[in-house]
Each structure stands twice: as structure tokens, then as C-alpha cells.
Amino acid sequence: MTYLKHNARRFFLFFILFNTRLIAQTPDSLEVRSPNGRLRFAFSIQAEGVPTYEIQDQNWPVILPSPLGLSSNPNGRNTSWDRNLRVVSVTRNRRDTTWKPVWGERSVISDRFNELVINLQHTSGNRGALQVIARAYDEGIAFRYSFPENMRTQILDIGQEQTHFSLPVGTKAYFTSHAQGSYEERNPENWTQGAELPVTLKLPNGSWASIAQAEQTNYPRIRLHTASPGQLVSRLFGDVTETSPYALPWRVVLVGDRPGDLMERNYLIQNLNPPTALNDVSWIQPGKVMREVTLSTSGAKKLVDFAVEQNIDYIHFDAGWYGHEYEVGSDATTVTVDPRRNPKGDLDLPEVIRYARSKGKKVILYVNHRALERQLDTLFPLFKSWGVSGVKFGFVHTGSHRWTVWVHEAVRKAAQHQLVVDIHDEYSPTGFSRTFPNLLTQEGIRGNEEFPNATHNTVLPFTRFIAGAADYTFCFNEPRLKNTKAHQLALTVIYFSPLQYLYWYGKPEHYPDREEISFWKNLPTVWDDTKVVEGTPGQWVSVARRKGKDWYLGTITNTEARKASVPLTFLEPGKTYTAECHEDDGTGKVRKTVRKVTAKDQLPVTLLASGGQAVVLKPVK
């Protein structure tokens, strides 16, 4: 039995043990509120037994009354669970605790909620049971469907999901049709394509929300379509056939007074995933990465030396080291350089791995999905024996139930051989890294390889990064860049990724001015605390992150120049800090200035169009 099936059963057993009070009633309307009392989730059964919910923030509507439910596969053997339902019992519970992630955007995470579990049955007889589980956090609302183990629901056929999100009139949404797409602000109507999650919402009362998901490890991808003007509905990539007990992913609605609240509260996605399944996590080491682009022994050794000089932790061999990545005959158990990448084929990979390890550096290998699917159980133990530390998955299938299960099983198998993982292309996270923290990052983002403009970059913190870490593959000194060098430096603070890929297209000789890149030399990639200081999607953003006693501050603007003052209230009161500022000098280069500041100060920022500022703040001893 796979880990994922064990996980479903573990969830059911945990549910039985976790709940402590059964309410023997069959109410028509039920609700649960967040611990601070602001957020309210209300459930009711409407005409024809249709389950319905709504979400409010301080009595303001976030989600108006909206239908819930699941439709059966027309060729399946189950009845649909979207009408003719009745409440048979209710369970309530609460939790108030904290936990420490293996790595993250903060070193301690609060997990505090009130929970409502609604047990439903069909009105036309005993056909098994469906639960709607709702949790109200101060950060947002989460709810999911769950089928407890039942002899009448041993086989579940789900053809479509009927989870609706009815939005207040005047709501605006940030829309993209796929994980690596660009965003645009739209009215929630007439969407001819589905929207990739998360979908961030600007509500008419001035507050913000984001529709996201968590623990999507054994279920197809959903996208949001418009069912009618102002109403979104989830649509599955494909059918599901499963066995009870079976819990579907969490549907999540984060809520905040300002857009930065959504990014600061994205740990809610991790809270909704199981704790780590690994006993030993000492081998999981985040860090900075640089790609080796020559696929040659001499080029790789030069890169190792550069990595030593610049405090880069990993060197990465991308497509071409084992042949053409798309050809089914390419064998990832051998080093056979694609002649289109290096006609000489002079890559002695074992020697490079030996040399890198002698210098304290680790190696990551890219493998396309075609080789992964055929050779997975052979490659991971082999790579471990070579001394490889990680694998980047390329172009894995996304969307279907089958391939969703496969990719998460592949991450689990990588952990068995102490390999860290980066999943590229259309895969988007839903918090699985909490359970298997060897999944350090993933793409699922329109990153620097696409050369997006600065306005796009100001939207990402409030949309894609709500889901979790993203590998943006930074470029620097690249003529195709649309943004300034200081903009690039600042993004590595704003954009969270435990594996931070720097200099994506570069060779060591492309960076003769080491002073320009000095900000990256000692930059951490995981953090003890995170604050979104200022920002609005499409305009500008300023994010502060702490590692130990030091703070790092990244600020970027859109395609317009901007002057601003960034409050430093996140600093420890009563202490003086040295602020080392890296900013554009107006000639295409980076200028460094130093000043003394305290928590009472505001840092002046003068940003060129598409520019930025990167700052490290260290307490004065």
C-alpha cells in the first residue's frame, strides 16, 4: 500500500482521536468562528438538500452563500453528493499549538483553529456518509470533503467537484490560466479558460482574499471557472476512483486587511498538511545553486571554484548530460553528453562530483520525466552511490489523478535515498514539503527564463507565492532582462525558495565585477521571520526577512519610477543597525551605501523604473 493510502487512513484515525465532543442534533444551519472571532464559516442545507456555505470577515461577505458537493462519474457506481443530503451529526473541536518547520519563511508556525465536522447522509436511505470538515483560523477558512471508511462507499467514483465561490459584487480577481502564466486583473465573469490556484481577490470593501488549496497529493488538479457572473466553480482535470476512507484536498480562503497579509499568512497551507514523515532531516540542506552550462569537466571545475568564492552551495547539471532529454532512448544511468550541448562530450561527471565534494559543494542532476518514469527505482540509489545530493524533475505530467500520485511518490522515494528535489515546469505546491521537506522548491511560476517585466514581478508575491516556494531561476548580467540589476538582487529576498538558483544563464567569467553581486554572497535562503512591509500587486512591494539577528530587505517597483519611505518598525526597538543598501546608480550598475538606522526610522527609497533596492541590516555591536 502506498504512502498516500496510508496517509488517508492515518487522517481518519487521527480524526477519530482528535475529536472529543459529539453534538447529537441535526441543525439546518451551523457555523464555526476563528479564534479571534473575525472570520465565520456557516453551513446550511438548502432546498432539495443542497449543501451550502458562506464566509464572512467581521460580518462583511468574503464568499456569499455558495453550493458545495461532488458529482459522481456517469459511468461509476455511486450517487452524487451534491443534493438530497441531510445532517445527521456534528462534531466540534479546537487546536492551539505551534510547530517548527525543517525550513521555511519563519522558524515557528502557529496552528490555531476551531473546527466543525458535519456528517451528511442521503435522504433516500443509507448510502454511506460524507463529511464536510471546516476549520476557522485567524488567517483564513479551510474546508474539505472526507469519506470515512464505510462498507457502502468502499469504491468512490468522483466525476466532478461542485464547490462554488460566489463573490461580492465589485470583486476583482488576479487571473492566470496556468502555473507558468502571467497575471491580469479581471472581473470574475466570462472566463473562457480556468484560473490556476491561488486566485487572489480584491474585495469591494477594501480587504483582500485568496482562494487556494492544500494537501493536493491524491486528487486531480482543479481550476476555477465562471459558473455565472461573480460566481466561480471548481473543475477537475479528470475523474477519480478511490476507496474509503478518503479525504479530498483542502479548499482554502485566506483573508487579510491588506494584500501583504496574504503572503505573511501563507503558512496556513503548510498547517493543513501532515507533519514530516522523516525521522532524520539532518541531510536536507537548503542553499544557493548555480547551473553548469558548458557540460564539460573544465567548465564544471571552474564553477566549483566560483561557488567556493561566492558561497554557493550546489552546482547543477541541467538537460543534456545524459543525452537528449526528450528521446525515450536517453539513459540517465550513463553520462552521455548531448552533442548539441557540448560536441566534445568531455564531461567526467564522477571526477566533477569528487572535486565538488572535496571543496564542500554538492551536486544536483536534472532528469526529464521520460527517464524518471522508466528508471525511477534505478536512478535514485545510483545517484546516491555517485555522491549526488539532489534531483531536479523536468516536465513532469501534472493535472491527472494518476500523475499527481506519481510525482508525490517520487519525492518520497527520493527521500529514501537522501536526495533533495526541485520540480520544474507546471507543478505548483500545496504544502507537501511539510510532510517531505526534501522537496525544497518547485517552479510553477513565470520566472526569469521568460524575462517578464517588473509589473509582473510585483504581482507574484501576492499570487503564486501564497502557494509556497518557487524557483524563479534568476538571471544577472543578461542582456534580455527587462529589469535593473538592483531589482534582481532584491527579488531574492522577496521571492522565497530554499534552493535559490542564481546566475541561471551565466558562467563565472560573466561576473568580473564581484562587488555588484556581493549582496548575494552571504544571502540566506531560509528565514526565521518574514514581514511584508508595504506593497500592492502591480505597483510595488517591500519584504523584510530575518535570519538570526540580521534582517534583509528587498524592495521593487513596477515599470514606473517611484520614491518611497520604508518603515523599519520590524527592527528590534532600542538597537542601532548598519544598513548596507544596494541600489541602481542610474548607469546600469549597482551602488552600495551604508547608514545607521533604528526601528524609529524610515528608509528612503528612490527606485528607477523597473528598479529595486536590496538591503542587509545588521545590529551594531
Side-chain angles (χ1 to χ4, degrees):
M1 183 178 290
T2 66
Y3 161 77
L4 295 167
K5 182 61 67 176
H6 278 302
N7 189 39
R9 294 186 182 276
R10 183 173 65 179
F11 167 82
F12 180 66
L13 292 173
F14 171 77
F15 167 76
I16 295 297
L17 294 171
F18 179 70
N19 289 278
T20 58
R21 184 161 63 96
L22 185 66
I23 300 176
Q25 58 182 0
T26 57
D28 295 324
S29 180
L30 297 160
E31 68 173 45
V32 61
R33 290 183 178 269
S34 59
N36 64 9
R38 279 191 56 157
L39 300 182
R40 171 180 174 266
F41 173 96
F43 177 91
S44 62
I45 298 292
Q46 299 298 317
E48 299 182 352
V50 175
T52 305
Y53 79 104
E54 62 181 302
I55 297 173
Q56 293 180 342
D57 177 16
Q58 299 183 103
N59 298 321
W60 285 93
V62 177
I63 304 295
L64 298 168
S66 304
L68 292 170
L70 302 166
S71 301
S72 67
N73 182 340
N75 298 318
R77 63 193 77 187
N78 295 129
T79 302
S80 293
W81 293 88
D82 58 355
R83 60 189 62 250
N84 300 320
L85 300 179
R86 62 186 180 92
V87 177
V88 294
S89 63
V90 175
T91 306
R92 296 183 183 274
N93 236 301
R94 64 181 60 186
R95 181 188 293 170
D96 188 353
T97 187
T98 59
W99 59 281
K100 295 183 177 181
V102 176
W103 48 259
E105 297 179 77
R106 48 190 43 81
S107 56
V108 179
I109 293 176
S110 171
D111 189 6
R112 184 168 177 251
F113 62 82
N114 294 322
E115 183 179 71
L116 173 70
V117 181
I118 305 158
N119 296 289
L120 303 168
Q121 284 186 347
H122 273 276
T123 57
S124 54
N126 183 15
R127 299 180 181 176
L130 170 69
Q131 294 172 333
V132 173
I133 305 172
R135 291 181 179 177
Y137 297 78
D138 292 343
E139 300 86 352
I141 299 291
F143 60 92
R144 80 188 313 176
Y145 307 98
S146 179
F147 291 92
E149 186 168 24
N150 188 291
M151 296 300 292
R152 295 179 178 272
T153 53
Q154 289 245 340
I155 297 178
L156 303 169
D157 291 300
I158 300 172
Q160 195 50 264
E161 189 173 319
Q162 301 294 340
T163 306
H164 289 68
F165 301 88
S166 300
L167 306 176
V169 175
T171 298
K172 300 289 186 180
Y174 286 86
F175 173 97
T176 186
S177 62
H178 58 289
Q180 293 177 279
S182 57
Y183 286 85
E184 59 180 304
E185 185 182 294
R186 288 188 179 183
N187 294 322
E189 57 186 41
N190 301 322
W191 292 358
T192 57
Q193 293 177 294
E196 182 79 15
L197 297 177
V199 174
T200 294
L201 307 171
K202 182 165 61 176
L203 299 173
N205 69 339
S207 61
W208 293 75
S210 185
I211 302 171
Q213 62 177 337
E215 202 182 355
Q216 191 241 330
T217 57
N218 188 17
Y219 192 71
R221 181 191 67 216
I222 70 161
R223 288 193 172 127
L224 298 184
H225 293 249
T226 46
S228 60
Q231 186 181 66
L232 306 178
V233 61
S234 57
R235 284 291 173 256
L236 288 179
F237 183 93
D239 296 345
V240 179
T241 300
E242 264 294 346
T243 304
S244 65
Y246 179 61
L248 279 64
W250 292 95
R251 304 295 166 230
V252 185
V253 181
L254 287 100
V255 181
D257 293 327
R258 60 191 188 109
D261 292 341
L262 304 178
M263 180 180 165
E264 283 189 4
R265 298 169 182 176
N266 66 358
Y267 56 83
L268 179 57
I269 306 298
Q270 296 179 63
N271 276 340
L272 293 162
N273 280 265
T276 181
L278 305 179
N279 294 322
D280 176 19
V281 296
S282 61
W283 54 274
I284 300 174
Q285 298 179 22
K288 291 168 286 190
V289 194
M290 186 168 177
R291 180 173 68 149
E292 206 296 297
V293 297
T294 71
L295 293 183
S296 67
T297 304
S298 60
K301 287 189 172 182
K302 288 179 182 178
L303 180 56
V304 171
D305 294 338
F306 183 76
V308 171
E309 176 196 307
Q310 294 299 314
N311 291 337
I312 296 169
D313 304 278
Y314 292 85
I315 66 169
H316 166 81
F317 291 91
D318 210 65
W321 69 266
Y322 65 91
H324 194 292
E325 63 172 309
Y326 299 113
E327 292 179 0
V328 71
S330 294
D331 184 357
T333 67
T334 65
V335 182
T336 310
V337 176
D338 185 345
R340 287 161 288 195
R341 303 275 182 161
N342 177 6
K344 294 181 180 179
D346 57 343
L347 174 61
D348 186 346
L349 188 58
E351 168 59 17
V352 171
I353 294 172
R354 183 206 65 77
Y355 185 73
R357 288 167 67 91
S358 75
K359 301 290 186 177
K361 303 304 172 184
K362 297 177 281 293
V363 172
I364 294 174
L365 298 180
Y366 169 92
V367 184
N368 183 278
H369 76 99
R370 302 204 73 171
L372 284 173
E373 291 157 16
R374 291 184 296 107
Q375 300 178 297
L376 186 68
D377 292 328
T378 301
L379 289 178
F380 289 170
L382 179 65
F383 289 172
K384 180 65 176 176
S385 72
W386 286 0
V388 171
S389 297
V391 182
K392 186 175 95 170
F393 298 1
F395 295 100
V396 296
H397 298 294
T398 59
S400 72
H401 187 198
R402 172 195 174 189
W403 289 112
T404 298
V405 171
W406 181 90
V407 73
H408 293 97
E409 286 286 336
V411 172
R412 179 185 65 82
K413 289 181 177 181
Q416 292 175 349
H417 301 284
Q418 296 190 339
L419 295 169
V420 299
V421 174
D422 176 6
I423 305 176
H424 252 230
D425 308 299
E426 280 292 296
Y427 176 86
S428 187
T430 62
F432 189 65
S433 289
R434 181 186 180 186
T435 312
F436 282 92
N438 63 308
L439 176 56
L440 285 176
T441 194
Q442 50 273 306
E443 195 173 19
I445 190 170
R446 190 174 186 83
N448 235 166
E449 291 173 283
E450 302 282 349
F451 300 103
N453 66 19
T455 300
H456 170 83
N457 288 345
T458 66
V459 174
L460 291 177
F462 310 105
T463 51
R464 166 60 182 82
F465 278 94
I466 291 171
D471 182 2
Y472 185 79
T473 54
F474 292 95
C475 305
F476 197 88
N477 276 356
E478 174 61 43
R480 290 173 288 176
L481 280 174
K482 296 184 176 73
N483 309 305
T484 70
K485 290 180 178 179
H487 185 106
Q488 297 298 112
L489 296 177
L491 284 179
T492 54
V493 178
I494 298 168
Y495 293 172
F496 174 64
S497 182
L499 280 181
Q500 199 70 281
Y501 273 75
L502 307 177
Y503 319 108
W504 180 247
Y505 285 113
K507 301 177 184 178
E509 55 264 33
H510 293 162
Y511 308 99
D513 187 352
R514 300 295 205 258
E515 189 63 24
E516 279 196 324
I517 56 176
S518 62
F519 179 76
W520 281 352
K521 186 170 183 177
N522 296 307
L523 180 74
T525 64
V526 295
W527 308 95
D528 294 321
D529 197 8
T530 293
K531 303 287 185 183
V532 181
V533 185
E534 299 282 358
T536 302
Q539 298 297 315
W540 72 300
V541 60
S542 185
V543 175
R545 299 189 191 268
R546 180 177 61 83
K547 185 67 174 180
K549 295 182 179 180
D550 300 338
W551 283 90
Y552 294 76
L553 177 67
T555 304
I556 61 168
T557 184
N558 57 10
T559 54
E560 300 175 2
R562 187 180 306 272
K563 289 187 177 182
S565 296
V566 177
L568 302 180
T569 52
F570 53 85
L571 297 177
E572 185 176 342
K575 285 197 172 183
T576 300
Y577 290 75
T578 298
E580 183 183 279
C581 306
H582 301 251
E583 49 203 358
D584 299 302
D585 69 357
T587 71
K589 295 185 175 294
V590 176
R591 174 180 60 230
K592 183 167 70 175
T593 60
V594 179
R595 66 173 66 201
K596 295 289 196 302
V597 297
T598 70
K600 296 180 179 179
D601 293 326
Q602 297 212 8
L603 187 68
V605 181
T606 300
L607 302 174
L608 301 179
S610 303
Q613 182 194 66
V615 184
V616 56
L617 300 115
K618 294 179 178 290
V620 175
K621 295 182 180 180

